[in-house]
Amino acid sequence: MAHRLARGLRMLTAFGLSSISLAGCMAFSPDGGMTTVSDLTSQTINKDVAFVRSAEGAEAVDATVRRLLARPLTIETAVQVALLNNKGLQAAYNELALAETELVEQSLPPNPVFSISRISGDGANEIERQVVGDILALATLPFRSEIARDRFRQAQLRAALATLRLAADVRRAYVRAVTCNELVALLTDAKATAESTAQLAVKLGETGSINKLDQAREQVFYAETTADLATARQAATSTRERLARLMGLWDDGLDFRLPNALPPLPRRPQALPSIEADAVAHRIDLQIARLELTALAKSLNLTEATRFVTLLDLAGISRRTQDPEGAPFRERGFDVQFQIPIFDGGEVRVRQAAETYNLAFNRLTERAVNVRSEARDAYRAYRSTYDIASHFQREILPLRKIITEEMQLRFSSMQVDIFALLTEARQRLASLRGAIDARQRFFLAQSDLQTAVNGGGAPASGGDTSTTIAAAASADGDH
């Protein structure tokens, strides 16, 4: 009996020392896990990110944003401002910091429980002290810590994915905003021309030089151009507001300057012969799914290893009894509690863990198939939109310029009338609008191509199941 008592006390002592040792090893990181996010963002889109956690950090970010907005806004500058200033992204980084608290919590041993009781009566009293420790939780601590580290790595990748999604949204919003500016400039000139033509048609109609049909045609062109210009101005305002929201700007930041036209097309399109392999290797959402599968595999192994034992507590007991008729005496011992698997042998938990793992495996396989297809489709769209926009630049617009110049020469020599010249002006306007639309489609496709390779697009249609899966796995790992 004395040997068993000593053994129980040694186990409790070892438990306490292990708790103190492990607790001293685990601490919060100084950056909240942002190093991985910063490295991935820098490697992928060559941009800086900042997790604002102090007044000094906020002032530094504000100074950088003001400096960037002082110059005309480029697409890369807009992305950088958003990554520094968007509060929704800062909230994603707060979620990362919360995930680190989960890592620290899961990596710490369970606290021992101390209890004391006193019973007295008829002059006698008894005092009992107990220290209770969860031996099963301590025994599985290394496995649970490893799973928690995988979960934290997932949280880091999710924060990086949120960063890439914001960057992609800003690129698209910037392209649309500048396209609207270019269209507004084009339609403003067209409206001025159409207004002059409509006034001329009214005067000619008063003299009887043109009939009502031709006069109505010129007036309706002016009316339609006026409506198109109003629509374009509203679209320019809305797209500018969306860009401002993504960059996290208040009212006083809305005076940023956008160019009036998209940049010229690159001289040649990118050649990406291994785009499918690049997408599978670099997509952050695939990396998250792989880590999810790894964590679930470890959780499944832990569940199978502890299927029969879900409760194992060891208590060290010290009891002092004072009897008024005799000398006080002490008793020491230990108490072990464990659950007897009579009705539930752990089959339910094992089956749940196995099916959760299979679910994640199928989700990962589906996502890998979709990623390859998305990469192929994005590259085809990129090449086709480049070819179409280039065709407008090389063929259609130069020919339209030649036609316009020739029509003006013929009008000067009175070989064609004013109405033929105005018809050509309308056709040229349609070609210019088509060229603007083609360039917008190309730059949007270029952004989509980058998204298809690195990640940052909208969540999959099946939804983000990582939260549900992680919750199920966490339930398997908590003992």
Side-chain angles (χ1 to χ4, degrees):
M1 176 65 71
H3 176 70
R4 289 198 297 268
L5 289 176
R7 185 180 178 186
L9 290 175
R10 284 197 300 270
M11 290 179 65
L12 281 175
T13 302
F15 177 85
L17 292 176
S18 300
S19 300
I20 295 172
S21 175
L22 291 174
C25 294
M26 196 64 209
F28 291 100
S29 60
D31 63 348
M34 282 295 297
T35 299
T36 299
V37 178
S38 179
D39 291 343
L40 284 172
T41 305
S42 177
Q43 295 168 8
T44 305
I45 57 176
N46 194 27
K47 292 291 179 292
D48 298 326
V49 295
F51 185 15
V52 180
R53 309 177 77 177
S54 64
E56 293 78 8
E59 291 176 359
V61 166
D62 289 341
T64 302
V65 169
R66 286 194 298 269
R67 177 174 54 81
L68 293 174
L69 293 177
R71 302 189 297 266
L73 202 64
T74 66
I75 190 169
E76 299 300 328
T77 304
V79 170
Q80 185 60 82
V81 169
L83 296 187
L84 294 176
N85 203 49
N86 184 281
K87 299 307 178 184
L89 186 61
Q90 291 296 312
Y93 296 159
N94 290 131
E95 292 179 354
L96 174 59
L98 288 173
E100 187 182 32
T101 65
E102 293 290 335
L103 169 62
V104 173
E105 181 181 21
Q106 291 297 321
S107 300
L108 293 175
N111 291 322
V113 178
F114 176 77
S115 66
I116 183 171
S117 61
R118 183 178 183 277
I119 301 175
S120 61
D122 295 332
N125 63 76
E126 181 180 279
I127 299 175
E128 182 178 288
R129 302 175 182 87
Q130 291 190 33
V131 179
V132 183
D134 189 343
I135 302 301
L136 183 61
L138 184 62
T140 58
L141 179 62
F143 306 100
R144 292 187 291 110
S145 298
E146 188 175 357
I147 293 172
R149 281 191 292 270
D150 290 338
R151 299 292 185 204
F152 181 60
R153 172 64 176 168
Q154 282 182 276
Q156 290 177 311
L157 292 179
R158 283 195 293 270
L161 185 60
T163 304
L164 295 184
R165 282 177 177 164
L166 177 61
D169 289 342
V170 171
R171 290 181 186 278
R172 297 186 189 102
Y174 180 91
V175 169
R176 292 189 175 102
V178 176
T179 300
C180 288
N181 283 353
E182 188 170 1
L183 189 58
V184 166
L186 176 65
L187 291 175
T188 300
D189 293 339
K191 179 188 174 184
T193 302
E195 183 178 13
S196 301
T197 304
Q199 292 175 354
L200 176 61
V202 171
K203 293 180 180 179
L204 293 176
E206 292 174 352
T207 61
S209 300
I210 63 172
N211 55 42
K212 289 186 177 181
L213 177 60
D214 291 334
Q215 183 178 353
R217 283 172 177 167
E218 301 311 318
Q219 290 175 340
V220 77
F221 175 62
Y222 170 62
E224 290 173 347
T225 304
T226 302
D228 288 346
L229 177 58
T231 302
R233 283 174 173 165
Q234 175 56 45
T237 301
S238 296
T239 53
R240 184 183 177 90
E241 288 287 354
R242 171 164 174 76
L243 181 59
R245 289 196 300 271
L246 291 173
M247 291 192 296
L249 301 179
W250 294 92
D251 292 341
D252 56 357
L254 297 182
D255 58 347
F256 59 88
R257 291 172 291 168
L258 289 174
N260 291 325
L262 291 169
L265 296 175
R267 298 184 61 182
R268 59 181 63 87
Q270 293 178 277
L272 300 174
S274 58
I275 185 170
E276 295 178 45
D278 291 341
V280 171
H282 296 103
R283 281 284 289 259
I284 293 182
D285 51 351
L286 274 183
Q287 295 180 44
I288 294 174
R290 293 189 191 104
L291 280 174
E292 179 69 26
L293 196 65
T294 300
L296 287 175
K298 296 174 182 177
S299 179
L300 177 59
N301 293 335
L302 180 60
T303 302
E304 290 177 341
T306 60
R307 62 180 299 180
F308 296 111
V309 180
T310 59
L311 173 66
L312 180 57
D313 290 343
L314 175 64
I317 302 173
S318 175
R319 181 181 299 133
R320 181 181 183 276
T321 304
Q322 175 68 53
D323 192 329
E325 298 181 358
F329 63 92
R330 294 180 179 273
E331 298 174 292
R332 293 183 176 87
F334 67 92
D335 177 55
V336 178
Q337 295 185 20
F338 60 90
Q339 191 177 69
I340 302 175
I342 297 177
F343 303 106
D344 182 5
E347 292 87 354
V348 173
R349 293 190 300 111
V350 172
R351 177 64 65 87
Q352 288 175 340
E355 291 304 324
T356 302
Y357 175 84
N358 292 334
L359 185 152
F361 175 80
N362 289 324
R363 291 290 190 197
L364 174 60
T365 306
E366 178 195 30
R367 194 71 196 122
V369 171
N370 292 344
V371 162
R372 292 175 65 89
S373 176
E374 290 169 6
R376 292 193 301 268
D377 186 52
Y379 186 69
R380 292 192 190 105
Y382 167 80
R383 284 304 306 266
S384 64
T385 54
Y386 177 85
D387 293 339
I388 294 171
S390 180
H391 181 68
F392 267 95
Q393 296 296 123
R394 293 195 316 265
E395 302 293 338
I396 297 178
L397 294 185
L399 288 174
R400 278 295 173 194
K401 183 179 179 181
I402 293 173
I403 292 172
T404 299
E405 292 173 350
E406 291 297 321
M407 288 294 292
Q408 290 175 347
L409 290 174
R410 282 164 173 73
F411 176 73
S412 299
S413 61
M414 302 184 68
Q415 298 180 33
V416 296
D417 58 14
I418 183 64
F419 301 108
L421 187 64
L422 295 175
T423 300
E424 168 55 29
R426 287 194 290 268
Q427 294 173 347
R428 183 170 182 268
L429 176 63
S431 296
L432 290 172
R433 294 182 70 169
I436 293 173
D437 182 67
R439 276 191 295 135
Q440 174 185 240
R441 291 177 182 273
F442 165 74
F443 284 109
L444 291 176
Q446 188 179 53
S447 176
D448 292 340
L449 178 63
Q450 187 178 38
T451 297
V453 174
N454 298 318
S461 58
D464 186 3
T465 59
S466 60
T467 302
T468 304
I469 296 173
S474 178
D476 292 334
D478 292 339
H479 300 283

